Amino acid sequence: MTLPNSKHSSACAGKLALLRNHSLFGLLPPAAIEHLGSYMKRRTLPRGSTIFAKGDPGTGLMGVLAGSVKISVPSADGRDIVLNIIHEDEIFGEIALLDGHPRTADATAMTDCELMVIERRDFIAYLRSQPDLTMQIIEILCSRLRRTSEQVQDVTFLDLPKRLAKALLRLIADAEGQASMRKVTITQREISQIIGRSRESTNKQLRIWAAHGWIRLERGAVTVLRREKIAEAAAEEAPAAGRKFAIRKRHLDIMGACRQDAMSACVSPLRYPARERYR
């Protein structure tokens, strides 16, 4: 007759251990961890499962206990744009948690995943009494916004090799392994979705680097063998992209000046020759 209580106690102890070992929640006072543990649920999902879809109700915050989660948005032509990859010991779903609006993107299990879930109705009331935890979540949100802004700039202004190199460096930053050799479990299609290029062009560039011995391509994974070479490729100047950015900046500067006068008087100076505008 005591078995159900024993199982319940064991489950509670497991939840508390997970929270204590989590980078975000582990620094909370013991009473706070016990409070969160009473609300926390565990969820196990196989690879490829949809965790939530864009437009779904934002019902809570999620943390990755094991595995990786892809955050993406679908385009009108059926392709996905990968905004972020969430790894073990990280949280996601914080936007809908804070504003209560529908989910802004899809979340998909890239591997077999174990998640912890805290419902919004329980967590928001708790956050009001924990300003330090609130600030940490805001910092995470700001960090991801900065990364998304950088990703938009890369997609807009950088050529394929530099864009791909920067993406690989970000992916291996959290990967396990030696500093000079790191393996990332990800498909080439998912890499192409991160950098906003076709799978074919992404594969072509990866094979060039593989032939040079910089990386090793495996089924569903990429291993970086020469991190310094990938870093050099990411740091190389892109003259065409820089020139395009300078022209665009000049265009915006002129637009800003023109708005101070009558807009009609500013039309003709903005009509650059096509070969200069897009050079």
Side-chain angles (χ1 to χ4, degrees):
M1 298 297 293
T2 59
L3 287 177
N5 289 334
S6 299
K7 290 182 178 180
H8 178 72
S9 299
S10 176
C12 289
K15 290 180 180 180
L16 295 180
L18 291 171
L19 290 173
R20 291 191 190 101
N21 294 327
H22 197 275
S23 60
L24 179 63
F25 303 109
L27 298 178
L28 293 174
I33 291 179
E34 289 184 12
H35 182 79
L36 281 178
S38 65
Y39 295 126
M40 190 187 105
K41 300 175 183 177
R42 297 174 71 169
R43 186 177 175 190
T44 302
L45 295 166
R47 177 180 180 177
S49 299
T50 298
I51 301 169
F52 56 72
K54 181 179 180 181
D56 284 353
T59 56
L61 181 74
M62 299 186 181
V64 180
L65 302 175
S68 299
V69 173
K70 176 178 68 175
I71 307 297
S72 62
V73 291
S75 62
D77 58 3
R79 294 179 300 171
D80 282 351
I81 300 172
V82 176
L83 302 177
N84 205 353
I85 295 176
I86 311 299
H87 300 282
E88 184 175 329
D89 207 28
E90 294 181 335
I91 63 170
F92 62 101
E94 69 280 356
I95 295 178
L97 169 80
L98 294 174
D99 65 14
H101 292 169
R103 300 291 187 187
T104 59
D106 298 344
T108 308
M110 293 181 65
T111 63
D112 293 343
C113 286
E114 184 178 5
L115 309 177
M116 68 175 184
V117 184
I118 302 177
E119 295 295 329
R120 183 178 189 273
R121 62 178 179 269
D122 301 321
F123 200 45
I124 286 296
Y126 181 72
L127 279 181
R128 293 192 176 99
S129 64
Q130 297 291 332
D132 290 343
L133 180 58
T134 303
M135 286 304 302
Q136 289 184 58
I137 292 177
I138 292 174
E139 288 172 5
I140 291 172
L141 186 61
C142 292
S143 174
R144 289 178 180 168
L145 180 59
R146 288 178 183 274
R147 174 174 287 193
T148 300
S149 297
E150 181 182 359
Q151 186 176 356
V152 170
Q153 292 179 55
D154 291 350
V155 169
T156 305
F157 300 121
L158 300 186
D159 58 14
L160 172 60
K162 189 169 184 178
R163 198 186 309 178
L164 180 57
K166 290 187 68 174
L168 285 178
L169 291 175
R170 283 196 296 266
L171 288 169
I172 67 173
D174 297 323
E176 297 180 355
Q178 301 175 2
S180 59
M181 176 176 168
R182 293 182 177 175
K183 180 177 179 178
V184 180
T185 302
I186 190 170
T187 66
Q188 293 184 32
R189 180 176 297 280
E190 287 166 338
I191 295 176
S192 69
Q193 291 168 348
I194 292 174
I195 65 175
R197 295 296 293 266
S198 69
R199 183 189 179 283
E200 290 74 17
S201 58
T202 302
N203 174 265
K204 182 178 179 180
Q205 185 61 51
L206 288 172
R207 289 190 176 279
I208 291 174
W209 289 344
H212 291 330
W214 297 2
I215 64 173
R216 181 171 63 243
L217 299 178
E218 306 171 39
R219 184 176 179 84
V222 177
T223 299
V224 175
L225 306 174
R226 302 287 301 278
R227 186 187 185 283
E228 74 281 3
K229 292 296 185 181
I230 300 299
E232 288 176 8
E236 287 179 358
E237 294 294 332
R243 187 161 55 246
K244 183 176 180 180
F245 177 81
I247 293 173
R248 176 61 177 165
K249 184 176 185 300
R250 177 178 171 226
H251 178 82
L252 293 175
D253 289 343
I254 294 175
M255 283 289 292
C258 288
R259 288 194 184 96
Q260 298 177 5
D261 301 318
M263 185 59 79
S264 59
C266 302
V267 173
S268 57
L270 296 177
R271 292 175 179 169
Y272 307 130
R275 65 177 180 275
E276 292 186 6
R277 190 187 313 170
Y278 299 107
R279 186 176 300 172

